[in-house]
Structure formats: structure tokens, C-alpha cells
Amino acid sequence: MTTTTETVLDARGVTMRFGGLTAVKNVDLTVNSGEIVGLIGPNGAGKTTFFNCLTGLYIPTEGEVRYKGTVLPPKSFKVTAAGIARTFQNIRLFNNMTVLENVLVGRHTRTKEGLWSALLRLPSFGKEEQASREKAMELLEFIGLDHKAEHLARNLPYGEQRKLEIARALASDPGLILLDEPTAGMNPQETRAAEELIFAIRDKGIAVLVIEHDMRFIFNLCDRVACLVQGEKLIEGTAGEVQSDERVVAAYLGEPFEGAPGADEVAEVEAAEAHAEEAPAEEAPAEEAQAEAAEAEAAEAEAEAETDADAETDADTEPETPAEDDTAPAADSTTSTTTDGEAK
Ligand SMILES: Nc1ncnc2c1ncn2[C@@H]1O[C@H](COP(=O)(O)OP(=O)(O)OP(=O)(O)O)[C@@H](O)[C@H]1O
């Protein structure tokens, strides 16, 4: 069997500004058919904003997003209809509807009747209902929740609610699914199950773009990984390439590195802060040095005066205080004396 690779998603130069804040800056990203691509980056890097630009929730300030070669309309329901489905960071289910009904709602873009007749269960909805139900049950079976089809969504454990969100997104028959932190709040067992589910989604022929903070999960899962830092794409490559890139490690640890997005600004601020901290520290030694010099001068003058007086009164008498001989190596003795004095 030969498979041809098709560019499913092609985002070019996507920039999103909120007033003075550039949340996403000139980001290019492609996802090909059969691929699982990861999007990582520290908190606030712009990942969700980028997702929102891809799915019509935000109209990018600059740039273009194409799905299978066609520029996407800036409306989320049209983007879904075009073939891109998504899940959200915070679960958004209809809690008082059953598991099955939640999936049926996700099908509204593929039925003639639309969302409101699905939600309100208008008579016209019944005509298409049977086919939709069958499709929805297939999806529930796929995610392993068919036995809970009639349960209320709110009664599902957390991990199953996340799965249900994925099933609802799949109900729109997407060619690409965007998953925003699908394992957030999951225990290790649920995370492993989510990983298997995502591989199975890819095996169904649906390309995947996934945001995650769990690095082990993302590096296990993804064919390619892109890392955003302060809105800019820092690197894109295989899991191995990204994992071993010291700039990625530094970005996660919050350490600046040469050429990092925003590094110039950070360096300027740090230099200014360092200068402000150093200034008083520099003054202190200068003041100390002046005081030391003054002390030394005074000691010298005193010694001289005593020496003169001694010489005048009794040239044979031993001086009580160090004489000129002792003051000769003035610099050294002054320094050590003063230091010792301060230490006392
Ligand atoms: N609607 C908005 N209005 C103003 N600023 C916003 C808006 N949405 C996001 N931002 C800002 O844009 C930046 C990127 O936020 P975003 O949520 O995209 O980051 P993220 O990488 O998804 O973070 P996290 O991993 O914490 O979810 C942040 O500084 C955020 O405060």
C-alpha cells in the first residue's frame, strides 16, 4: 500500500498581538497527514493563543492558516466544518447531558439540522438521528465508553471526561485534531491510555497537533515537536533533537541563553539591575579607602610630631610609639593595621 503525504495544516507567519503584548510572533508550522506533532513551551509561551489562531477563535494580527491548501475562514464553526476539531485545556462538556448526547452534539457540523436542533432535540433532528447515533456509538466504542453511553457526563471520572471530549471532537469527522493539554490532571495510568488513544486516532488517518507540558508523554508520542518561547518558535525537530537542545532546557528552567527570544531585552534589564546594585557597593570601598588614607595621614603626622618631640627632649630615650623606621613601609603597614583594626 502506498501512502502519499499531504500537508494538512500550513500556518505561515502567524502573529497575534493583544494591545502592546505580542503573544505569538511570526510562527510557521505545518502538520502532514499521518503525523502527530507536539507543541511545547513554558507557561505563557503562546501555545493556546496559537491554537486559537488556528481554529478561528482569534483572527491573527498577521499571517495565514491553510487547511489542505485552503485559507481558513475566521469563524470557529466554519473551521470545524472545514475539518479541524479541537479540545480545550479546561473540559467543556454538557454536564447534564448523557455521554451519547455529548457526542451527538459534536456531530452537528456533519448533519443538515445543525446545533440547535441537536441541543433542543427538534423533530427534524430525529430524521438524521439514527445514523448519527450509530456513528456516535462507534466513537464511544473507540474510546472505550460505549458501556457508559447513557450516563450523565458529569458523573464520569476525570480521565473519562477528557476522553469524551476527544470523542465529541472526533464526531465532526476531522482531518486534523488539536488537543490542548489532553493529559492535564491525569494519573500515570490515564496518561498512558491517552497516549494509546492518540496513536489510534492517528492510525485512523487523522493528523494530530498536541500541546502538552508532560515531556515524557510528548517525546514518546510525537513525530515532530515545535517549541515556543515568548511567542516565537525556538526550534522544531524530532523528539531527540528538541529534547537534547540546551536552549529548550534553558527555556524550561527559566535560564536566559544567547539568541533567545527577548534575550536582548532581558540582558538589558539585568545589566541595569546589576549596575544599580553595584553602585553603592563601589562607593563603600571608596569611602573606606578615603577614611583609611586620612587615618594613615593622621598616624603619620602623630608619629612625626612625637619623633620630633622625642628628638628635642631626649635623643637617647626609646620611643614609646613606632618611630619613622616603622612608618617607612607606610602603605603596607597602614593597610594591614587598618584591616586588623577593622576586624577587631
Ligand atoms: N485574550 C487575551 N488578552 C490578552 N492577553 C492574552 C490573551 N490571551 C493570552 N494572552 C497572553 O498571551 C500570552 C500567551 O498566553 P497563552 O495562554 O497562549 O500561553 P500558553 O503557552 O498557552 O500558556 P500555558 O502553558 O500556561 O497555557 C500570555 O502572556 C497571556 O497572558
Side-chain angles (χ1 to χ4, degrees):
M1 192 178 79
T2 54
T3 50
T4 52
T5 304
E6 178 189 18
T7 300
V8 179
L9 179 80
D10 188 8
R12 289 195 196 169
V14 172
T15 296
M16 186 72 211
R17 290 191 199 96
F18 300 108
L21 175 88
T22 306
V24 175
K25 192 173 174 188
N26 199 24
V27 173
D28 294 337
L29 189 78
T30 57
V31 181
N32 300 317
S33 56
E35 266 193 322
I36 302 174
V37 176
L39 190 59
I40 62 168
N43 288 328
K47 305 178 297 293
T48 298
T49 303
F50 183 62
F51 259 32
N52 290 343
C53 291
L54 301 180
T55 52
L57 273 183
Y58 292 157
I59 301 169
T61 317
E62 286 163 30
E64 193 177 76
V65 183
R66 286 175 186 267
Y67 175 73
K68 294 188 176 175
T70 306
V71 176
L72 285 170
K75 289 263 187 282
S76 52
F77 71 92
K78 288 187 181 170
V79 171
T80 311
I84 298 182
R86 77 173 287 179
T87 62
F88 290 86
Q89 212 168 321
N90 302 315
I91 295 175
R92 297 187 181 186
L93 291 171
F94 295 101
N95 283 320
N96 291 326
M97 289 171 74
T98 66
V99 167
L100 178 65
E101 285 166 345
N102 267 279
V103 182
L104 285 171
V105 169
R107 263 209 80 70
H108 76 270
T109 49
R110 295 289 170 246
T111 59
K112 290 196 202 99
E113 302 307 330
L115 176 65
W116 287 111
S117 53
L119 280 174
L120 303 173
R121 307 187 65 75
L122 299 176
S124 55
F125 178 67
K127 293 178 196 162
E128 292 201 61
E129 195 174 7
Q130 193 50 37
S132 288
R133 269 178 168 270
E134 278 167 21
K135 171 77 187 175
M137 282 307 294
E138 269 172 37
L139 285 171
L140 287 178
E141 205 175 325
F142 175 67
I143 62 161
L145 278 182
D146 47 328
H147 62 295
K148 293 194 175 177
E150 298 307 325
H151 290 214
L152 287 181
R154 67 159 184 257
N155 293 336
L156 294 183
Y158 181 81
E160 291 184 350
Q161 291 195 2
R162 282 229 167 260
K163 275 185 175 181
L164 178 55
E165 265 223 308
I166 292 176
R168 191 178 58 185
L170 293 175
S172 64
D173 286 339
L176 169 70
I177 186 166
L178 311 186
L179 305 171
D180 196 345
E181 299 194 28
T183 71
M186 283 187 174
N187 62 36
Q189 213 176 350
E190 289 171 333
T191 302
R192 256 196 314 278
E195 196 178 296
E196 277 168 25
L197 178 61
I198 296 170
F199 278 130
I201 291 171
R202 191 266 316 271
D203 293 345
K204 267 176 171 283
I206 300 167
V208 180
L209 178 60
V210 55
I211 294 176
E212 249 311 332
H213 282 290
D214 181 338
M215 291 299 128
R216 187 189 295 190
F217 171 84
I218 212 97
F219 290 133
N220 265 344
L221 188 74
C222 297
D223 302 299
R224 271 188 301 129
V225 177
C227 178
L228 288 191
V229 176
Q230 294 188 8
E232 290 181 64
K233 191 169 74 175
L234 179 67
I235 182 176
E236 181 184 335
T238 62
E241 284 164 352
V242 173
Q243 211 167 356
S244 59
D245 191 294
E246 61 183 25
R247 295 170 304 164
V248 175
V249 178
Y252 271 91
L253 295 177
E255 288 170 8
F257 50 90
E258 204 180 323
D264 291 346
E265 291 82 350
V266 172
E268 267 176 39
V269 172
E270 281 178 353
E273 280 173 357
H275 183 70
E277 275 172 20
E278 273 168 19
E282 277 169 1
E283 275 164 22
E287 277 169 19
E288 271 171 29
Q290 275 178 356
E292 281 168 16
E295 248 178 66
E297 271 174 31
E300 239 175 81
E302 204 181 312
E304 263 175 35
E306 278 175 16
T307 309
D308 290 349
D310 287 347
E312 272 171 29
T313 52
D314 186 2
D316 296 330
T317 314
E318 285 268 325
E320 286 174 8
T321 53
E324 278 176 36
D325 282 353
D326 295 301
T327 54
D332 288 344
S333 66
T334 309
T335 310
S336 62
T337 307
T338 311
T339 311
D340 290 344
E342 276 181 357
K344 284 173 201 163

